[in-house]
Amino acid sequence: FAALKEAGEVVTWGDADFGDDFSAVADRLVAGVSYIVGIELAFAALKEAGEFVTWGYADFGGDSSAVAHRLTAGVSTTVGNMSAFAALKEAGEVVTWGD
């Protein structure tokens, strides 16, 4: 599970094998997060500046490193299905990752 606190901090709990271990990105989730999206085994957080942060099972969208350079700014929204995410950028570009 993941929750977004009023100050924009993300907290997680539950089974680390199901996306609840965010230690690799925790320093980027202490403030400034606008919303989070969870899918079966991964999470994605949109920060106020348009930066995207992902964590969880790599093959199910928890690893966005292949498209990270496209997710550093200008993301307006995202959706996820069982094993992948799609982010819509302000300029209309759609960026996808996962399985």
Side-chain angles (χ1 to χ4, degrees):
F1 297 97
L4 179 60
K5 296 175 78 174
E6 276 187 37
E9 176 186 5
V10 174
V11 293
T12 67
W13 66 97
D15 191 330
D17 291 335
F18 291 88
D20 295 316
D21 178 9
F22 75 135
S23 58
V25 295
D27 61 324
R28 296 167 59 197
L29 299 173
V30 295
V33 176
S34 300
Y35 72 87
I36 52 177
V37 176
I39 60 175
E40 186 173 348
L41 299 174
F43 292 92
L46 179 64
K47 298 196 71 176
E48 292 168 354
E51 174 193 7
F52 225 70
V53 182
T54 60
W55 70 96
Y57 191 72
D59 292 341
F60 280 61
D63 178 6
S64 59
S65 61
V67 295
H69 63 285
R70 296 167 60 194
L71 298 172
T72 57
V75 176
S76 60
T77 192
T78 190
V79 294
N81 65 14
M82 189 171 104
S83 61
F85 291 100
L88 176 63
K89 297 191 71 174
E90 294 166 354
E93 176 187 11
V94 175
V95 181
T96 62
W97 67 97
D99 188 22

